[in-house]
Amino acid sequence: MARSNEVNLNECKMVVPLNTWVLISNFKLAYNLLRRPDGTFNRHLAEFLDRKVPANANPVDGVFSFDVLIDRGTSLLSRIYRPTTAEEPQPNIAELEKPVTAAVVPVIIFFHGGSFTHSSANSAIYDTLCRRLVSLCKAVVVSVNYRRAPENRYPCAYDDGWTALKWVNSRPWLQSQKDSKVHIYLAGDSSGGNIAHHVALRAIESGIDILGSILLNPMFGGQERTESEKRLDGKYFVTLRDRDWYWRAYLPEGEDRDHPACNPFGPNGRSLEGIKFPKSLVVVAGLDLIQDWQLAYVEGLKKAGQEVKLLYMEQATIGFYLLPNNHHFHTVMDEISKFVSSDC
Amino acid sequence: MLRYDSTSSSAGSSSGSLSSSSSSSKPPQQDIDGLLAGAGYKVRSSELRQVAQRLERLETAMGNSPADFSQLASDAILYNPSDLACWVDSLLTEFAEPPPTCSSDFIVDPVNNQTVVNSAWTTAEPHTPQVHQNITYDEQQSLDNQLTVVTAMEEDSGIRLVHMLMTCAECVQSGDLSLATSLIGDMQGLLTHVNTVCGIGKVAGHFIDALSRRIFQGMGGGSVNGGSAFENEILHHHFYEACPYLKFAHFTANQAILEAFDGHDCVHVVDFNLMHGLQWPALIQALALRPGGPPLLRLTGIGPPSPDGRDSLREIGLRLAELARSVNVRFAFRGVAASRLEDVKPWMLQVNPKEAVAVNSIMQLHRLLGSEQTRNSPIDTVLSWIRGLNPKIMTVVEQEANHNQPGFLDRFTEALYYYSTMFDSLEACRVQPEKALAEIYIQREIGNVVSCEGSARVERHEPLAKWRRRLSGAGFRALHLGSNAFKQASMLLTLFSAEGYSVEENEGCLSLGWHSRPLIAASAWQAVPAWDNRMSSS
C-alpha cells in the first residue's frame, strides 16, 4: 500500500511547481481531517483552518472590495470587487455603489469552489482569484457566499445563486451606460461551476439575460465509474472516495449521483435543445479524475446546439488557476478575457 | 494614493523592535513565498522543500488509517494554521509514527539508474515572471491600509445620508464650520425619511449628534463619558447581556488563563477593569473543577474610585468571594481604585514572586494611547511594568478598528462603518431594556471617537496588527489560541439565534465579527525572558 502511495506522490510532484504542490496537498490533507465517515463535517475546524481576508475599500492594485448583505433571512453575503478608474483612483467611501461609467461593464457573478462544502467568498484564495478577474476583464465581480453542505443541501446553493443573480440584475448602479442593462456573466470553479450551470438554467426560465458562463474544472458526476475516474483515482490530489463523500453531502438524502444536479445530461437530465442557453467556456484539467463527466457536459451542450468552447489543459491538475506560476494559468486567463470582452 | 500609518514609521523603538522580534524566532519577511502568502500561508521559500517532505510523511501516515483521522482531528488542539511548517509538524506529532529512513528523499533516475536527491518538483515555466515567486511581502503596509465595509444599504436616501456625513466630516477636518453646520441641519431633516431600523440609517443619527457636539463645543470639548462610573457600569452590563462581544472576550481570555495556570498552586489575576466582575465566576468555577483541585486564587480588581463613600470594588470582591467559598476555592480579593490605568503602580498589586500571574485587559489598553507619540507615553510605561511582573499570561481584548488615526475624516469613516456593523448585529437582540441600554453604551463610544480630542478622547482603538507590533516591540511574544478555543467560541455563538456572527482565526488570535467584519479581537501574550531580548531598554 505504501508503495503505490509513493508512486502517486511522485507523479503529482512532477507536474506542478513546488509551492502549488504544498498548497494543494495541504488542502487535501486538511480536508481529509474534516470529512467524517458518517457523512458529517467538522465545520468548526474547517472555519478555524480556512484562511480568510477582510474586504478592503482601499484599492490594492487597482481593485477595491466591500461586502453586501443581499438577503437578511439567509445571511447571504456577497463580496463586490470593483476596479478603480483613471478619473477616480481612490473611491469615495460613500460611493461604493456609484454607477459604473463605461459604455459596457461586464458583471461577473462568481461562485467559489470547495465541492459545495469548503471555502467562502472571503477565503484568501478566492479573494485573490476574484481580484484577478476584475483586472483581467475590467469587470465588476460579485462573489457569492452561498450556503454549504452538508448543513445545507441541494438546492440551497442554487437558491442563493439565484437570489444573487436577481439582486445583481436589479442594481441600477451596475447597468452599462450603452443600454441601461446589467451585462451578466456567471463563473465558478469546481462546485461553483456546477452552480453557475444551474443558475443559468433558472435564468433562462425567468427571462434574465446571461451573456456567458465560465466553468473552471466544474464539478459534475454520475453513478457510473468512468475511465478517467478509474485511471486517475488518487493520483493528482483527488480520490473517488472524497468525490463520493461530497455528492452524498450535497444531494438530497437517498439520491444517487444520477440526480440532475450532479449529472445534468444523464438519465434524469434534460436536453437543452431549443433553449436559449448562454455561450459557455468550459475549462477541463487533463489530470482531473472527473474530466469524463466534464467532457460529457460539453458534449451535452453541443448536442443541444449550444455555443460552447472547450479548453482542455492536458497537464493541468485541479487548482492550477489558484497561483499564477504555470502556463495553464496564463492560457486560461487570456481565454477568459477574450470570452468576456467579445460582447463589447 | 496609499495611506501610510504615521505611527509605525515614527518612534525609534519600532525599528529596534524588529530585531528583537527576530530574536524570538520570527522569519525575515523577504524570504516568504509571495504566492502562498496571498493564499494566507506563511512559508519561507527556503523551507518549502522541507514542508513538502513533511506533508508527504503526513500523507503516508494518514494513508495507513484514514477513518481514524477525523476523530483524532476532533480531539486534537491545533494552532496557527498560517504557519504551515509548524502546522504540519504539529499534525505529524499527533498522527505520525517516527520518521522513516531517508528512502523518501531519493528517487532512482530510471534513465541512468542513479539515485537522484529529491529533485522531483518542476521549476517554474520559463516565461513565467519569476519575480512573483518571492515578492517582498510587506505585511505592515497592506495591513495598515485596510478599510472593511459591510453594507446593506438599499435606498437612495440612505446613500445620500452617508454622502452628507462624509462631506460634513470633511468640512470639520478642514475647518469649514459654517458649511458643516448647515449640513447638520440638512441631515437631521433627511433622517426623517430614512429607514432607521437597521444599517447605516440606524447609526447615522448618533453620528450626526456626535458631529454636532464637536462643532458646537469646539475642539477638545466633550466629556470623556456621558455620565458617572455607576452609569457606565450599568450600561456595560446591558451591553454584556445584549450581544456576545464581551462574553466572547471573557470566555476566550478565561480559557487561555486556565491553560496558563495549569500546574500552579498559587495564582493571581490582575483585572484592569473589574466593573461587575462578570468575567470571574466562570473562571472560579472552572478552577474549582480542575483535576487535582483548585489553586489559591487571588484577584486584584482595578476600577475607578466610587463617590459617596461607597466601595464598589470591595462589594464586587465580596460577592466573588462568596461564590468562591461555595465551590471551595480559596480566594482573596484586593481592589485598586484608580481614575486612570496609568495611575496604577505595580507595587499596588502586591504580586508575590511565587505566584503565577495573569494580567487581563478587556478593552483597556487603547485608553493608554495618548495623542502624542512620546517615548514614555502611558502605554509604554504600563507595558513595561506588566513585563516586569513577568506574568504567565497577559490576555488582551480590543476593538478591531482603526479609530486612532490622526486624520479626522479617516477616523470618522472607519467609525461609521464599524459602528453601523455593530448596531446591525444588535438588531438580533430582542430583549429590552438590554438592547436599548446597549445602544446607549455604544453611542457613548461613538461620541468619544468623533467629538472628543486630546486627553478626553480615550476610545483610541487600534487593529490587531498594530497591537501585535506594539506588544512585540515591548518585549512580549504571542501565545497562540488554538482550535479548542475557536470551537468553544463558535459554539457559544450558536446560543444566540442570530446567524450573522462568526469567529475567525488569525495567526493565533481569535476575532468575533458580524457578517464577515471582525469587530473584536482576542490575543494572549507572555513576556519574552530578559536574557532573550537584545533590544536596548526603552
Side-chain angles (χ1 to χ4, degrees):
Chain A
M1 212 45 219
R3 191 90 188 99
S4 63
N5 259 349
E6 261 173 47
V7 170
N8 292 341
L9 294 175
N10 281 336
E11 276 181 54
C12 62
K13 281 180 334 195
M14 303 297 271
V15 296
V16 293
L18 185 50
N19 49 8
T20 301
W21 192 90
V22 166
L23 182 69
I24 303 188
S25 298
N26 177 56
F27 283 147
K28 178 180 79 173
L29 295 178
Y31 293 177
N32 286 349
L33 296 177
L34 302 172
R35 295 188 302 269
R36 295 199 196 99
D38 65 357
T40 60
F41 186 72
N42 193 339
R43 181 60 68 190
H44 295 303
L45 186 56
E47 293 304 299
F48 175 77
L49 296 178
D50 191 25
R51 306 290 84 205
K52 298 182 200 277
V53 297
N56 192 353
N58 289 326
V60 175
D61 294 332
V63 181
F64 66 95
S65 64
F66 56 98
D67 293 336
V68 181
L69 184 63
I70 287 184
D71 184 82
R72 222 168 247 283
T74 51
S75 287
L76 180 62
L77 283 167
S78 279
R79 181 160 291 180
I80 318 282
Y81 300 84
R82 293 186 69 167
T84 53
T85 57
E87 306 87 51
E88 222 180 323
Q90 176 74 27
N92 185 334
I93 300 311
E95 295 184 324
L96 294 172
E97 300 184 2
K98 184 177 171 152
V100 295
T101 48
V104 175
V105 177
V107 179
I108 302 175
I109 303 181
F110 181 79
F111 301 100
H112 67 82
S115 307
F116 294 103
T117 304
H118 299 281
S119 296
S120 305
N122 60 349
S123 295
I125 49 172
Y126 288 113
D127 187 85
T128 302
L129 182 57
C130 287
R131 284 170 172 275
R132 290 213 178 96
L133 289 175
V134 173
S135 304
L136 188 68
C137 303
K138 310 284 178 283
V140 171
V141 175
V142 179
S143 182
V144 183
N145 199 44
Y146 59 88
R147 283 169 293 167
R148 301 162 300 186
E151 301 94 324
N152 301 287
R153 290 173 179 271
Y154 164 96
C156 293
Y158 302 158
D159 289 343
D160 290 351
W162 174 236
T163 303
L165 174 58
K166 283 187 292 185
W167 186 87
V168 165
N169 195 46
S170 62
R171 295 305 100 190
W173 58 277
L174 285 176
Q175 290 169 354
S176 290
Q177 295 298 316
K178 167 169 122 176
D179 51 8
S180 296
K181 281 180 159 172
V182 187
H183 287 218
I184 300 176
Y185 291 82
L186 298 176
D189 72 309
S190 166
S191 51
N194 176 295
I195 296 172
H197 167 79
H198 288 282
V199 171
L201 275 183
R202 271 203 223 185
I204 308 305
E205 284 152 18
S206 315
I208 295 185
D209 248 334
I210 307 288
L211 293 173
S213 246
I214 300 163
L215 310 196
L216 285 172
N217 300 5
M219 186 171 159
F220 294 115
Q223 268 309 104
E224 183 198 333
R225 298 303 194 193
T226 64
E227 184 272 338
S228 66
E229 282 169 314
K230 292 186 248 189
R231 174 171 49 94
L232 297 171
D233 186 10
K235 296 256 169 65
Y236 296 96
F237 308 111
V238 186
T239 64
L240 256 187
R241 194 172 174 170
D242 66 63
R243 292 298 98 203
D244 289 351
W245 191 98
Y246 292 117
W247 284 119
R248 266 198 308 275
Y250 178 64
L251 295 170
E253 297 197 53
E255 293 284 351
D256 69 16
R257 291 185 303 275
D258 281 335
H259 187 281
C262 176
N263 195 356
F265 297 127
N268 302 314
R270 56 183 257 225
S271 161
L272 296 185
E273 209 162 337
I275 295 184
K276 191 170 159 285
F277 198 74
K279 66 172 183 178
S280 303
L281 176 66
V282 182
V283 177
V284 176
L287 299 177
D288 187 343
L289 83 173
I290 61 168
Q291 61 187 270
D292 285 349
W293 294 112
Q294 296 161 336
L295 295 169
Y297 173 77
V298 171
E299 278 311 298
L301 287 178
K302 281 193 181 144
K303 272 207 214 100
Q306 304 299 343
E307 191 186 332
V308 53
K309 177 165 187 180
L310 167 65
L311 277 180
Y312 186 84
M313 314 304 302
E314 225 175 276
Q315 285 289 85
T317 63
I318 54 144
F320 73 86
Y321 45 82
L322 295 177
L323 299 183
N325 57 3
N326 59 86
H327 78 263
H328 314 295
F329 174 92
H330 295 290
T331 306
V332 168
M333 290 301 148
D334 282 343
E335 289 291 337
I336 292 178
S337 161
K338 279 191 259 186
F339 186 77
V340 171
S341 71
S342 62
D343 299 300
C344 285
Chain B
M1 207 185 349
L2 288 175
R3 303 185 203 183
Y4 286 87
D5 172 39
S6 56
T7 56
S8 67
S9 53
S10 62
S13 58
S14 60
S15 50
S17 78
L18 282 177
S19 56
S20 77
S21 55
S22 66
S23 73
S24 43
S25 66
K26 257 198 149 200
Q29 306 284 41
Q30 281 74 7
D31 191 30
I32 304 266
D33 182 292
L35 294 184
L36 289 180
Y41 297 99
K42 300 228 172 117
V43 190
R44 282 147 84 186
S45 304
S46 46
E47 281 187 339
L48 260 178
R49 208 164 277 280
Q50 273 174 296
V51 172
Q53 282 164 6
R54 288 181 221 161
L55 278 166
E56 276 187 291
R57 279 225 320 267
L58 187 55
E59 161 133 34
T60 310
M62 285 170 72
N64 295 335
S65 45
D68 299 337
F69 284 97
S70 49
Q71 186 53 51
L72 280 170
S74 292
D75 300 335
I77 299 176
L78 305 164
Y79 297 91
N80 197 7
S82 281
D83 185 344
L84 213 40
C86 287
W87 159 253
V88 180
D89 279 347
S90 66
L91 283 178
L92 274 172
T93 314
E94 291 281 343
F95 301 147
E97 309 103 13
T101 51
C102 301
S103 55
S104 61
D105 290 359
F106 297 88
I107 53 167
V108 178
D109 182 335
V111 173
N112 47 26
N113 217 26
Q114 285 175 334
T115 12
V116 174
V117 177
N118 206 2
S119 57
W121 281 282
T122 61
T123 49
E125 299 290 332
H127 67 264
T128 308
Q130 286 278 21
V131 74
H132 286 297
Q133 289 277 354
N134 279 353
I135 51 177
T136 305
Y137 181 61
D138 198 331
E139 186 181 340
Q140 211 154 306
Q141 195 163 312
S142 70
L143 287 173
D144 285 346
N145 211 13
Q146 210 133 258
L147 173 61
T148 307
V149 171
V150 184
T151 170
M153 294 187 304
E154 291 293 311
E155 343 110 351
D156 287 335
S157 41
I159 297 172
R160 260 197 297 153
L161 198 47
V162 171
H163 223 308
M164 282 180 149
L165 276 166
M166 304 298 305
T167 311
C168 188
E170 211 166 356
C171 291
V172 168
Q173 173 167 276
S174 60
D176 188 349
L177 298 183
S178 66
L179 180 52
T181 308
S182 81
L183 281 167
I184 297 278
D186 294 341
M187 287 193 285
Q188 275 161 347
L190 196 51
L191 254 189
T192 58
H193 300 296
V194 170
N195 176 9
T196 52
V197 170
C198 51
I200 290 280
K202 175 101 196 187
V203 84
H206 302 314
F207 277 86
I208 294 169
D209 288 342
L211 274 174
S212 182
R213 238 176 298 136
R214 189 185 180 95
I215 295 166
F216 298 123
Q217 289 181 17
M219 305 273 275
S223 47
V224 173
N225 287 305
S228 64
F230 179 68
E231 265 181 38
N232 288 336
E233 278 171 27
I234 304 282
L235 293 176
H236 186 265
H237 199 141
H238 284 88
F239 180 67
Y240 175 88
E241 294 294 347
C243 45
Y245 303 105
L246 287 180
K247 293 191 186 83
F248 164 79
H250 293 173
F251 185 89
T252 308
N254 283 347
Q255 174 79 20
I257 292 172
L258 196 61
E259 283 173 34
F261 280 170
D262 194 31
H264 292 270
D265 292 322
C266 292
V267 304
H268 184 174
V269 175
V270 178
D271 186 0
F272 275 4
N273 188 24
L274 188 67
M275 286 283 186
H276 289 168
L278 296 169
Q279 183 171 352
W280 307 118
L283 183 68
I284 292 170
Q285 281 160 343
L287 287 172
L289 294 172
R290 201 169 78 155
L296 160 62
L297 170 66
R298 288 182 55 208
L299 174 65
T300 300
I302 299 172
S306 4
D308 345 313
R310 276 182 65 226
D311 189 348
S312 53
L313 288 173
R314 189 165 168 274
E315 283 169 23
I316 307 292
L318 280 173
R319 271 193 269 145
L320 290 172
E322 193 46 56
L323 168 67
R325 193 175 12 253
S326 74
V327 292
N328 293 320
V329 174
R330 291 166 297 147
F331 179 80
F333 176 82
R334 181 183 184 80
V336 173
S339 324
R340 302 174 314 167
L341 192 51
E342 56 254 51
D343 296 334
V344 175
K345 303 285 173 265
W347 59 260
M348 298 174 188
L349 309 174
Q350 299 205 332
V351 169
N352 185 315
K354 295 218 177 70
E355 348 175 272
V357 176
V359 173
N360 183 72
S361 166
I362 310 288
M363 297 168 1
Q364 297 305 302
L365 291 186
H366 64 257
R367 306 171 84 89
L368 301 169
L369 299 173
S371 39
E372 296 105 52
Q373 301 296 320
T374 59
R375 238 171 157 231
N376 284 310
S377 55
I379 184 68
D380 296 320
T381 312
V382 172
L383 286 179
S384 170
W385 66 244
I386 293 175
R387 194 157 175 271
L389 295 178
N390 195 23
K392 205 83 193 30
I393 189 169
M394 173 172 66
T395 46
V396 175
V397 180
E398 284 287 327
Q399 289 90 336
E400 183 58 11
N402 208 358
H403 295 155
N404 196 24
Q405 300 170 74
F408 177 71
L409 181 57
D410 289 341
R411 218 159 71 225
F412 183 85
T413 307
E414 174 87 23
L416 186 59
Y417 284 101
Y418 179 85
Y419 288 108
S420 78
T421 306
M422 182 164 273
F423 260 89
D424 205 35
S425 75
L426 254 195
E427 279 314 298
C429 173
R430 304 256 173 255
V431 196
Q432 294 288 14
E434 280 80 354
K435 181 172 165 188
L437 291 174
E439 290 184 0
I440 297 177
Y441 176 87
I442 303 172
Q443 212 180 317
R444 291 211 178 158
E445 254 182 45
I446 295 174
N448 192 269
V449 174
V450 173
S451 63
C452 294
E453 280 304 335
S455 57
R457 178 156 63 90
V458 293
E459 300 296 346
R460 294 178 178 267
H461 313 141
E462 289 191 343
L464 182 59
K466 279 203 190 153
W467 283 111
R468 277 211 184 98
R469 286 202 296 279
R470 206 182 272 286
L471 291 170
S472 301
F476 292 89
R477 65 166 164 231
L479 289 171
H480 293 148
L481 303 172
S483 56
N484 56 338
F486 181 95
K487 176 177 175 177
Q488 290 176 62
S490 299
M491 282 163 59
L492 168 70
L493 291 178
T494 62
L495 293 177
F496 287 81
S497 51
E499 253 204 53
Y501 290 107
S502 58
V503 184
E504 276 182 27
E505 191 276 348
N506 185 326
E507 293 186 67
C509 304
L510 298 188
S511 66
L512 174 62
W514 172 258
H515 284 158
S516 84
R517 158 80 213 239
L519 292 173
I520 188 170
S523 56
W525 303 84
Q526 199 178 47
V528 174
W531 51 264
D532 221 24
N533 181 26
R534 280 156 229 163
M535 183 177 81
S536 57
S537 55
S538 47

